[in-house]
Amino acid sequence: MQKKINSALISVFYKTGLEALVKTLSEQNVTIYSTGGTQKFIEDLNIKCIGVEEVTTYPSILGGRVKTLHPSMFGGILGRRDNEQDLKEMKEYNIPEIDLVIVDLYPFEETLQQTNEEKLIIEKIDIGGPSMIRAAAKNFKDLTVIADKNDYEVLNEILKTQDGATTIEQRKSFAAKAFEVAMNYDIAINNYFNGTIIKPLKNKTVLRYGENPHQQGSFYGDLNEVFEQLNGKELSYNNLVDADGAVQLVKEFDKEQKAVFAIFKHTNVCGIAVRDTLKSAWDAALAGDPESAFGGVIITNKKVDEETANAISEIFFEVLIAPTFDDAALNILKSKKNRIILQLKNYKASDKQFKSVLNGTLVQDNDEGNYIEWKETGGKPSDEKQKEELTFANIVVKHLKSNAIALVKDFQLVGKGCGQTSRVDALRHAIEKAKQFNFDLKGAVLASDAFFPFDDCVKLAHAEGIDAFIQPGGSIRDKDSIAYCVENNLVMIITGQRHFKH
């Protein structure tokens, strides 16, 4: 059922994009009600506008805190057009029918980012806006509500193609979005007052599917804040999960350091290396496990050059993430139309992690930092190169699924075991992968995401030539592994910080 729009109430903070819509409403002889800065904006366009004060007979009072909160306005929004008693009362009290409500909200979250001054923050808590949005959305059978500036253009097109009318389906869709806007606004205010960390669900993007084709999937958030997509198809659910893991890993490495290249597959880093040049970093990362790299997500901390782009293009990959690209490199990488190329921006990430379990949600802090202490407990202290390689290995193992072991040699991941139900199995898997690609483990270092429950891991690793270990410690049998390292003159670092990842 289509409803013709004959009157509109417009009161917005953001005016960008509003002009075209207001002009369309004027051309269609829609009566416009407004107040404050929005009224001035409309009148400056030489478009007739009735001030809300003329309807309510009350001026804007209390420093602008009370403007539209009046029965004459809310009656016009909530009045049911198929209810004779409602229509009778509206006529009796000279309440105009409102067919369209365009309202946005004071920038509360933006204000939080700009100041800590409570007085300024409190004044950016909108009262009338959410009330009008909820009222209009509730009465979607009779009204159209626009609560997001991104929908100005959408409504404008509807009005032009449907002769100034909207369908019940369109009104219900706008109403659903309006309730979402109001909900997220209230969540932000709740988080401020209560110090809670409820995650608002906004900017929904429907994905092709979820983790598997039979699962529906969606992303809530603005990916444009994180990446500029330069090429390729739409990001999938699994692409986003791996991209998140890849970005979290590369953030561990300062941009001013040497070139770092990493390859992610199924949320685990399967190849990573640090080198003086980007091309050599790529070659070493790929060599660590060229089989697993197929179809992966790859990331670097440096500008991608032409030489490296040519090398990368020799394998199939889903996503490439970098801070920037040479023009020549970008032309090479764009040769495959579905290949996803993302330019990483400097964005503010959440400091919390969320996971749905049972009938609720788990929330935890991000796993920040890599060690609490650096305690030399082995038969000899680590030398400078070992310190650097052990630090590197400890970062890598942090980004592998538990139980996890990372084997590193010359700042290259040469073997990894992840997602295993016992630590010694993770080590066996890591050694097997290293041997598969002909790496000599003599002089390699080992990082474990959690303590060694027995001395079997250090014994097995030592037998393969590994002579330096880093682990958090905390087992009641730490002394067994430490004693073996002391007896065999091996390096053992205790960090005091576990890095489980599930």
Side-chain angles (χ1 to χ4, degrees):
M1 178 177 64
Q2 289 199 349
K3 297 269 301 188
K4 181 82 171 178
I5 292 176
N6 295 307
S7 60
L9 171 61
I10 307 175
S11 179
V12 297
F13 188 88
Y14 295 105
K15 315 297 190 297
T16 304
L18 184 63
E19 181 177 341
L21 177 55
V22 170
K23 287 181 176 178
T24 297
L25 292 171
S26 178
E27 290 166 2
Q28 295 179 347
N29 298 314
V30 173
T31 301
I32 299 175
Y33 301 92
S34 191
T35 185
T38 308
Q39 180 178 353
K40 182 179 185 304
F41 173 83
I42 295 170
E43 289 174 343
D44 286 346
L45 297 173
N46 294 319
I47 293 173
K48 186 178 178 182
C49 181
I50 300 173
V52 166
E53 294 89 342
E54 294 182 41
V55 179
T56 65
T57 70
Y58 271 87
S60 173
I61 60 174
L62 307 182
R65 283 189 165 196
V66 180
K67 291 180 282 192
T68 54
L69 293 167
H70 193 280
S72 293
M73 285 290 100
F74 279 85
I77 295 170
L78 287 166
R80 292 161 290 189
R81 312 305 154 81
D82 59 355
N83 184 298
E84 290 186 8
Q85 185 61 31
D86 283 7
L87 294 174
K88 179 182 177 182
E89 291 177 2
M90 290 170 73
K91 184 176 181 180
E92 179 181 355
Y93 295 107
N94 295 317
I95 297 173
E97 293 184 7
I98 305 295
D99 303 317
L100 169 65
V101 171
I102 303 175
V103 173
D104 66 6
L105 304 173
Y106 291 166
F108 180 78
E109 290 181 276
E110 292 87 340
T111 302
L112 286 180
Q113 294 172 5
Q114 296 167 2
T115 182
N116 293 320
E117 189 176 340
E118 185 175 86
K119 182 179 179 181
L120 295 176
I121 292 170
I122 296 302
E123 286 307 312
K124 284 298 183 287
I125 297 177
D126 205 326
I127 304 300
S131 300
M132 287 189 288
I133 286 172
R134 291 173 62 85
K138 177 179 179 177
N139 203 17
F140 70 88
K141 283 181 62 179
D142 296 312
L143 267 79
T144 301
V145 57
I146 300 296
D148 185 340
K149 61 182 181 295
N150 294 320
D151 287 330
Y152 294 166
E153 186 176 346
V154 176
L155 178 61
N156 195 26
E157 189 62 27
I158 289 172
L159 297 179
K160 287 182 175 180
T161 57
Q162 295 177 190
D163 194 27
T166 58
T167 66
I168 184 65
E169 293 80 13
Q170 289 165 343
R171 294 194 296 279
K172 191 171 185 178
S173 177
F174 283 131
K177 189 167 186 180
F179 280 123
E180 183 179 312
V181 168
M183 174 190 69
N184 287 324
Y185 195 76
D186 286 341
I187 286 173
I189 296 169
N190 169 79
N191 288 347
Y192 170 72
F193 275 95
N194 295 309
T196 52
I197 44 174
I198 300 170
K199 189 76 171 174
L201 297 177
K202 55 185 178 180
N203 299 322
K204 179 181 179 180
T205 300
V206 177
L207 305 174
R208 295 195 302 274
Y209 51 80
E211 199 162 7
N212 299 292
H214 65 279
Q215 296 172 270
Q216 293 183 349
S218 300
F219 175 78
Y220 290 86
D222 186 0
L223 284 175
N224 292 321
E225 293 179 359
V226 183
F227 306 114
E228 180 182 356
Q229 184 163 348
L230 305 176
N231 190 67
K233 61 186 179 181
E234 171 188 312
L235 284 156
S236 71
Y237 181 101
N238 292 330
N239 290 156
L240 288 168
V241 171
D242 279 345
D244 176 65
V247 170
Q248 298 311 314
L249 172 60
V250 88
K251 282 169 62 179
E252 303 266 11
F253 298 95
D254 191 284
K255 289 182 180 178
E256 300 306 316
Q257 288 184 340
K258 296 179 179 181
V260 179
F261 237 117
I263 305 168
F264 255 74
K265 192 75 172 290
H266 295 296
T267 71
N268 288 296
V269 55
C270 60
I272 183 171
V274 178
R275 292 291 185 269
D276 290 329
T277 69
L278 192 64
K279 169 63 163 53
S280 58
W282 164 251
D283 289 341
L286 179 62
D289 189 347
E291 284 186 349
S292 297
F294 182 86
V297 170
I298 57 181
I299 187 167
T300 181
N301 64 337
K302 299 294 183 183
K303 177 188 282 190
V304 177
D305 55 41
E306 183 177 5
E307 181 187 19
T308 308
N310 276 314
I312 294 170
S313 293
E314 292 176 3
I315 73 161
F316 168 70
F317 62 89
E318 287 273 348
V319 183
L320 169 60
I321 306 169
T324 186
F325 300 82
D326 283 348
D327 290 341
L330 200 53
N331 287 334
I332 293 165
L333 295 165
K334 283 183 174 181
S335 62
K336 299 289 180 64
K337 67 176 183 179
N338 286 332
R339 183 182 282 165
I340 299 170
I341 310 298
L342 302 175
Q343 186 162 309
L344 183 62
K345 299 179 180 179
N346 184 19
Y347 74 102
K348 183 181 180 182
S350 172
D351 59 357
K352 303 292 181 182
Q353 296 175 352
F354 302 83
K355 187 174 184 178
S356 296
V357 296
L358 301 175
N359 64 342
T361 303
L362 285 173
V363 182
Q364 67 173 353
D365 296 335
N366 287 339
D367 184 4
E368 302 288 356
N370 295 298
Y371 53 85
I372 295 171
E373 60 179 344
W374 186 278
K375 190 175 179 182
E376 302 267 4
T377 62
K380 64 177 180 179
S382 56
D383 59 33
E384 284 307 308
K385 184 181 179 186
Q386 285 175 324
K387 280 188 174 73
E388 292 178 5
E389 291 214 297
L390 287 165
T391 300
F392 174 72
N394 198 44
I395 291 172
V396 173
V397 81
K398 176 180 171 182
H399 294 272
L400 291 169
K401 292 286 189 180
S402 301
N403 287 308
I405 296 288
L407 305 180
V408 165
K409 187 173 182 180
D410 296 328
F411 300 98
Q412 176 188 22
L413 179 63
V414 296
K416 81 281 181 199
C418 48
Q420 301 301 307
T421 51
S422 74
R423 189 148 307 279
V424 72
D425 274 345
L427 175 56
R428 290 189 185 108
H429 184 64
I431 292 170
E432 180 184 340
K433 292 297 287 185
K435 290 182 175 180
Q436 180 184 353
F437 300 112
N438 300 314
F439 287 107
D440 180 4
L441 292 176
K442 186 177 181 180
V445 304
L446 181 154
S448 176
D449 65 330
F451 62 65
F452 296 123
F454 308 103
D455 61 5
D456 51 359
C457 285
V458 291
K459 288 179 178 179
L460 178 58
H462 182 216
E464 297 294 337
I466 296 166
D467 59 5
F469 302 85
I470 186 168
Q471 53 122 342
S475 168
I476 59 173
R477 299 187 64 172
D478 275 348
K479 63 182 183 300
D480 295 348
S481 296
I482 292 171
Y484 183 86
C485 289
V486 171
E487 291 168 10
N488 291 275
N489 203 33
L490 306 175
V491 173
M492 170 68 78
I493 307 300
I494 301 293
T495 67
Q497 184 169 353
R498 192 177 71 184
H499 293 297
F500 270 169
K501 185 181 179 186
H502 296 105

